[in-house]
């Protein structure tokens, strides 16, 4: 019987081991929830909240202080209340034992609502966020926000969190006051001496219908001396009018200047710091010469010629390369070799759909492309546009330009004239483009969001498929998940650019004339080193020349040999020179094949002319070179120039989360909203399953 029972027990144990029985039980655990407050602390919050003497910031602070008891009750209910203030940066606010450390005065810079909402939503994505309560006037003043508003609210929709928008300030129809503002003026302009410069600016007048507003164009030399070089009267027809104005003058001497458009202060005008806008002017002794070679007579070359030929300092020579069978028998065209070799004849070369065999003999390895490669290595600019016979399809991978162009090319990409166009070498569907980084040539919006300006451009029907070299930079890419490179640049002594498309003329035909023309003119200026950076071995790449106080200021430093190779192990003695000529040391660190500097925003808090100056030395302490770059900080008081709030925008943002309880409220409604969270607390307990199964532990 004992043996039988033992055997039966072993059999049952084996059967249990085979089935591995187990059990599951659920254990309740408390989970803290988070109620998030975002308080706008930009300078616009000093403006009036309603028609009495209350300010928007004072109203927001009173709203918070009146509900401190409710915040404490929420904490007892396991709801963590957190506070942040924001302008173009996000700052946490200390909250401890019923005391909230809000600043006494809102002194922040430009309002960036989108980045504040997005950043906090991402940071709290692994916690239980009950709601984001946004207290603001709804005016987005950031010139180039990192995150657009809709994208920011989408981050809340994805995690099903409501946005509660607390409306502060009066809407535009009740807050309009008299004001004159210069809202746009180019940051950088170039002209030949004794040639006419047409300075174009946008002026907004509010409350001065049928009154003359004097405008001045002011030239400022390197010593800071100002000279009024042109004047004009602007007379608005309506109580609110936005108009483009032109002032013309002819600079007499070459040099680097600052240029300012200034509107005189008018009676009753309260905000006058937005009455002027400043940029930089380069006056040159001679013009720029461009040789444009085109293998096709399509729309792209026609529109580019129209754009470049009207610039007074550009001397454009256009040469068609005919591609019929009879003309191809005369290839390579040796005559262009002399044009490429002459150092004084051309500054920039443009190749548009020109097959390499037109300028190069593949058998003898000779031809004008040899001279062109040497010219670009010696400092000339080169632009290659897309086309069926550009880049690898044009055979350039087996020419001296293979080492010059910033794209990778293979011999297998060759496109024959007697065959259909190879679709595998091209993007064969419409796409829009977006800048992959801020750069001189990608800034097509004079004011506002540069990213938004690109998003408005019509899509391009196609482009070449190009692959950037590791040493190159991608400035434009397709606005999709693939992010195909569209514009790639490099520096091998001279500047080179590959633009994969040949359909940018569609932007101009679509009504975006100013954006198209500005884009291509900046490309030619950049290729010829006319963007103010010079052609030294050490250069400061500062994408913008105009900043608001306490803005984010980052820049790259490029240190390269004459052949364009990056120099490693460079040490810098760098300083930021203030308007009063005092200096502050700044730190420059390696970043890829370049060097990078992030300037503390507090250092550029005051308006005026600043300068970055640096000296670069190699690992042995020998001097490599030096560079300097000026920029201006303009306190236009953008936050206070328009006292109108934008409650409609807050309503629209909150409505995007209405499905989860999002809504717009006034400050007085916050108390009842918190009472609802207190009286009907959300589920803060979660059930965690605890599982046991035979064989799952060591003892089993």
């Amino acid at each position: 019987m004992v043996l039988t029972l033992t055997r039966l027990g072993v059999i049952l144990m084996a059967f249990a081991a085979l089935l591995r029985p187990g059990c599951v039980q659920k254990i309740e655990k408390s989970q803290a929830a988070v109620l998030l407050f975002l308080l706008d602390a930009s300078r616009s919050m000093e403006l009036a909240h309603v028609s009495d003497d209350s300010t928007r910031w004072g109203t927001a602070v009173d709203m918070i202080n009146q509900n401190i008891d409710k915040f404490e009750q929420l904490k007892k209910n396991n709801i963590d209340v957190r506070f942040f203030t924001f302008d173009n940066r996000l700052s946490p606010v200390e909250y401890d034992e019923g005391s909230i450390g809000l600043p006494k005065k809102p002194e922040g810079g430009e309002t960036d609502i989108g980045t504040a909402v997005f950043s906090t939503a991402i940071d709290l994505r692994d916690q239980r966020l009950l709601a984001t309560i946004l207290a603001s006037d709804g005016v987005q003043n950031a010139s180039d926000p990192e995150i657009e508003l809709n994208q920011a609210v989408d981050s809340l929709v994805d995690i099903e969190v409501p946005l509660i928008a607390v409306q502060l300030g009066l809407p535009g129809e009740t807050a309009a006051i008299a004001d004159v503002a210069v809202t746009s003026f180019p940051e950088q302009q170039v002209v030949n001496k004794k040639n006419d410069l047409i300075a174009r600016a946008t002026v907004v007048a509010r409350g001065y219908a049928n009154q003359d507003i004097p405008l001045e164009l002011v030239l400022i030399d390197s010593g800071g001396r100002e000279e009024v070089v042109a004047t004009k009267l602007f007379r608005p027809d309506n109580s609110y009018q936005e108009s483009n104005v032109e002032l013309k003058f002819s600079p007499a001497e070459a040099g680097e200047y600052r240029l300012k458009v200034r509107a005189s202060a008018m009676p009753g005008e309260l905000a006058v710091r937005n009455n002027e806008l400043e940029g930089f002017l380069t006056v040159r002794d001679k013009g720029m010469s461009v040789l444009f070679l085109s293998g096709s007579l399509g729309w792209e070359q026609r529109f580019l010629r129209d754009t470049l030929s009207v610039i007074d300092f550009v001397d454009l020579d256009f040469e068609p390369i005919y591609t019929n069978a009879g003309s191809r028998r005369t290839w390579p065209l040796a005559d262009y070799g002399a044009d490429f070799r002459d150092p004084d004849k051309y500054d920039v070369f443009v190749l548009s759909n020109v097959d390499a065999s037109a300028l190069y003999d593949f058998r003898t390895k000779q031809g004008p492309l040899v001279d062109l490669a040497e010219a670009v290595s010696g400092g000339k600019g080169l632009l290659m546009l897309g086309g069926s016979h550009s880049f690898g399809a044009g055979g350039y991978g087996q020419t001296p330009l293979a080492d010059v162009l910033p794209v990778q090319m293979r011999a297998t990409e060759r496109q024959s004239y007697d065959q259909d166009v190879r679709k595998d070498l091209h993007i064969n569907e419409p796409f829009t483009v977006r800048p992959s980084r801020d750069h001189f040539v990608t800034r097509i919006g004079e004011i506002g969001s540069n990213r938004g300006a690109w998003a408005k451009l019509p899509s391009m029907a196609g482009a070449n498929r190009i692959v950037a070299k590791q040493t190159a930079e991608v400035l434009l890419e397709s606005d999709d998940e693939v992010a195909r490179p569209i514009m790639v640049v490099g520096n091998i002594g001279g500047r080179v650019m590959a633009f994969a498309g040949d359909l940018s003329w569609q932007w101009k035909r679509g009504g975006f004339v100013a954006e198209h023309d500005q884009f291509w003119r900046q490309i030619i200026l950049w290729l010829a080193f006319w963007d103010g950076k010079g052609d030294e071995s050490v250069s400061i790449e500062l994408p913008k020349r105009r900043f608001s106080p306490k803005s984010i200021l980052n820049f790259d430093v490029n240190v390269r040999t004459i052949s364009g190779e990056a120099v490693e192990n460079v040490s810098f003695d760098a300083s930021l020179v203030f308007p009063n000529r005092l200096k502050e040391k700044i730190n420059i660190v390696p970043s890829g094949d370049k060097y990078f500097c992030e300037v503390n925003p507090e250092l550029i808090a005051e308006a005026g002319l600043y300068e970055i100056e640096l000296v670069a030395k190699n690992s042995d302490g020998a001097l490599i070179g030096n560079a300097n770059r000026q920029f201006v900080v303009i306190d236009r008081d953008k936050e206070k120039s328009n006292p109108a709030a934008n409650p409609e925008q807050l309503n629209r943002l909150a409505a995007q989360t209405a499905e989860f309880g999002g809504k717009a409220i006034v400050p007085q409604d916050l108390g009842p909203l918190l009472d609802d969270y207190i009286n009907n607390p959300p589920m803060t307990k979660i059930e965690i399953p605890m599982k046991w199964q035979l064989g799952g532990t060591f003892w089993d």
Side-chain angles (χ1 to χ4, degrees):
M1 183 179 294
V2 171
L3 183 60
T4 300
L5 290 175
T6 302
R7 288 175 174 171
L8 180 61
V10 170
I11 291 172
L12 291 175
M13 289 175 63
F15 186 68
L18 179 67
L19 296 180
R20 295 190 66 193
C23 64
V24 177
Q25 61 179 339
K26 294 183 178 180
I27 300 176
E28 282 192 347
K29 286 191 174 182
S30 297
Q31 181 192 39
V34 177
L35 189 62
L36 180 66
F37 280 81
L38 297 177
L39 306 177
D40 186 347
S42 62
R43 292 194 305 275
S44 66
M45 297 296 284
E46 289 187 297
L47 297 171
H49 169 57
V50 292
S51 55
D52 58 18
D53 293 332
S54 62
T55 66
R56 298 169 192 179
W57 181 249
T59 301
V61 172
D62 289 343
M63 175 185 71
I64 297 299
N65 290 334
Q66 291 168 5
N67 290 283
I68 286 181
D69 292 342
K70 293 182 173 61
F71 298 146
E72 291 297 305
Q73 185 62 45
L74 289 169
K75 290 177 66 176
K76 294 178 181 178
N77 290 353
N78 208 25
I79 297 177
D80 185 12
V81 184
R82 301 181 190 177
F83 297 88
F84 289 84
T85 59
F86 70 92
D87 50 350
N88 54 5
R89 291 177 300 276
L90 196 65
S91 302
V93 177
E94 293 186 4
Y95 172 37
D96 186 34
E97 297 181 356
S99 175
I100 304 175
L102 293 174
K104 294 181 179 180
K105 185 178 179 181
E107 297 179 335
E110 297 178 343
T111 308
D112 187 356
I113 299 173
T115 303
V117 172
F118 181 83
S119 298
T120 50
I122 294 299
D123 291 344
L124 297 174
R125 62 186 180 274
D126 58 344
Q127 302 179 45
R128 186 160 184 212
L129 181 58
L130 293 182
T132 294
I133 300 177
L134 170 69
S136 174
D137 55 17
V139 180
Q140 175 91 341
N141 280 322
S143 298
D144 194 7
E146 181 180 348
I147 303 296
E148 300 293 342
L149 288 173
N150 288 337
Q151 181 185 356
V153 180
D154 285 343
S155 65
L156 295 179
V157 174
D158 290 340
I159 56 178
E160 300 184 356
V161 171
L163 175 66
I164 309 298
V166 182
Q167 300 171 338
L168 300 171
L170 292 165
E173 61 270 15
T174 59
I177 61 173
D179 185 59
V180 178
V182 180
T183 59
S184 70
F185 185 58
E187 291 187 20
Q188 177 77 42
Q189 300 183 78
V190 180
V191 68
N192 284 344
K193 70 176 184 179
K194 299 182 180 179
N195 283 6
D196 287 340
L197 171 71
I198 307 298
R200 297 178 175 87
T202 302
V203 180
V204 175
R206 180 186 289 109
Y208 293 106
N210 301 314
Q211 298 184 46
D212 288 331
I213 302 174
L215 301 176
E216 296 177 337
L217 184 64
V218 182
L219 186 70
I220 308 170
D221 64 17
S222 58
R225 292 179 291 273
E226 295 188 358
E227 178 186 0
V228 177
V229 295
T231 59
K232 191 169 190 175
L233 290 178
F234 169 53
R235 188 179 181 87
D237 300 326
N238 305 306
S239 58
Y240 178 87
Q241 185 166 325
E242 180 177 356
S243 299
N244 296 321
V245 297
E246 296 182 351
L247 296 100
K248 182 173 69 174
F249 91 108
S250 300
E253 298 296 334
E256 295 289 333
Y257 300 90
R258 285 180 290 145
L259 199 60
K260 180 191 302 183
V261 171
R262 181 167 60 202
S264 298
M266 298 293 289
E269 189 177 6
L270 299 180
V272 296
R273 281 185 283 182
N274 60 354
N275 284 39
E276 62 182 38
L277 198 54
E278 188 172 325
F280 289 83
L281 172 66
T282 300
V283 181
R284 294 193 173 266
D285 283 319
K286 65 182 185 67
M288 179 199 306
S289 297
V290 178
L291 178 60
F292 193 147
L293 303 181
S294 179
S296 60
L297 300 180
W299 289 104
E300 185 77 334
Q301 58 84 23
R302 176 179 173 180
F303 278 84
L304 285 185
R305 288 162 59 192
D306 291 344
T307 296
L308 300 179
S309 61
V310 298
I311 308 177
D312 54 11
F313 56 82
V314 172
D315 183 11
L316 178 67
D317 288 342
F318 176 75
E319 295 286 344
I321 305 294
Y322 296 104
T323 59
N324 56 68
S327 298
R328 296 204 302 270
R329 285 194 289 269
T330 65
W331 291 359
L333 304 171
D335 294 344
Y336 291 107
D339 294 329
F340 298 151
R341 287 191 298 269
D342 189 343
D344 299 322
K345 191 166 185 179
Y346 293 107
D347 301 294
V348 175
F349 302 102
V350 180
L351 299 180
S352 175
N353 203 27
V354 177
D355 194 277
S357 57
L359 301 170
Y360 188 70
D361 190 326
F362 291 93
R363 294 177 295 102
T364 64
K365 309 297 183 183
Q366 297 296 321
L369 286 187
V370 177
D371 302 305
L372 178 58
E374 293 179 356
V376 176
S377 298
K380 302 297 183 181
L382 173 64
L383 166 64
M384 181 172 286
L385 302 176
S388 57
H389 288 270
S390 296
F391 308 113
Y396 286 94
Q398 292 77 53
T399 73
L401 288 193
D403 297 328
V404 173
L405 290 169
V407 296
Q408 302 177 21
M409 297 173 289
R410 302 188 304 272
T412 56
E413 296 175 335
R414 195 74 167 93
Q415 171 72 55
S416 300
Y417 275 99
D418 55 353
Q419 295 179 355
D420 293 337
V421 175
R422 292 179 53 180
K423 293 187 176 181
D424 61 308
L425 301 180
H426 301 271
I427 302 172
N428 302 295
E429 57 187 8
F431 64 91
T432 55
V433 293
R434 67 187 177 204
S436 53
R437 56 161 296 185
D438 195 5
H439 192 275
F440 174 76
V441 301
T442 62
R443 297 187 63 81
I444 62 171
E446 294 179 349
I447 195 167
S449 172
N450 187 48
R451 190 180 295 108
W454 279 101
K456 295 176 183 178
L457 294 179
S459 60
M460 300 178 67
N464 290 63
R465 294 182 184 270
I466 58 176
V467 178
K469 292 179 178 177
Q470 291 185 347
T471 57
E473 291 182 278
V474 178
L475 299 186
L476 288 179
E477 61 189 10
S478 60
D479 192 5
D480 52 31
E481 294 181 356
V482 182
R484 300 181 181 93
I486 302 300
M487 186 168 73
V488 183
V489 299
N491 189 327
I492 64 160
R495 289 173 173 174
V496 290
M497 175 181 291
F499 184 71
D502 63 348
L503 297 169
S504 68
W505 60 270
Q506 295 174 338
W507 301 343
K508 201 166 187 175
R509 290 288 293 270
F512 294 86
V513 177
E515 290 80 359
H516 173 276
D517 291 351
Q518 181 181 355
F519 174 62
W520 284 109
R521 290 170 186 174
Q522 288 174 173
I523 284 178
I524 296 300
L525 290 173
W526 181 82
L527 288 169
F529 292 97
W530 278 34
D531 59 334
K533 294 185 178 65
D535 56 354
E536 301 86 357
S537 57
V538 182
S539 60
I540 298 171
E541 296 188 351
L542 188 64
K544 300 196 315 183
R545 305 288 298 276
R546 198 161 58 208
F547 295 87
S548 299
K550 298 185 179 181
S551 294
I552 297 174
L553 170 57
N554 303 327
F555 64 88
D556 292 329
V557 179
N558 221 337
V559 184
R560 296 186 179 272
T561 64
I562 190 64
S563 61
E565 298 176 353
V567 180
E568 299 180 348
N569 301 321
V570 178
S571 61
F572 296 92
D573 181 10
S575 299
L576 177 67
V577 184
F578 297 99
N580 58 8
R581 307 313 296 169
L582 295 177
K583 298 181 180 181
E584 176 86 13
K585 293 289 186 181
I586 53 178
N587 189 33
I588 298 177
V589 298
S591 177
D593 63 346
K594 295 185 178 182
Y595 299 85
F596 175 78
C597 180
E598 181 176 358
V599 178
N600 183 350
E602 297 298 329
L603 294 179
I604 58 170
E606 301 296 328
L609 178 66
Y610 291 74
E611 186 172 2
I612 300 165
E613 58 179 28
L614 60 86
V615 177
K617 297 180 180 180
N618 61 20
S619 55
D620 297 328
L623 177 67
I624 299 175
N626 51 60
N628 55 25
R629 191 79 165 136
Q630 291 183 331
F631 64 92
V632 292
V633 173
I634 303 176
D635 190 358
R636 294 167 45 77
D637 211 8
K638 187 177 180 180
E639 285 289 323
K640 292 185 176 182
S641 62
N642 181 9
N646 192 350
E648 293 82 5
Q649 179 150 270
L650 292 177
N651 284 330
R652 177 177 57 80
L653 296 177
Q656 291 180 241
T657 64
E659 179 182 356
F660 317 110
K663 58 184 177 181
I665 63 174
V666 295
Q668 294 79 4
D669 293 337
L670 179 62
L673 177 72
L674 298 179
D675 287 335
D676 188 50
Y677 281 119
I678 294 171
N679 298 327
N680 302 289
M683 185 68 67
T684 58
K685 293 185 179 296
I686 58 174
E687 292 183 338
I688 300 177
M690 301 294 292
K691 182 179 180 181
W692 173 85
Q693 188 176 25
L694 180 64
T697 68
F698 170 79
W699 297 111
D700 297 339

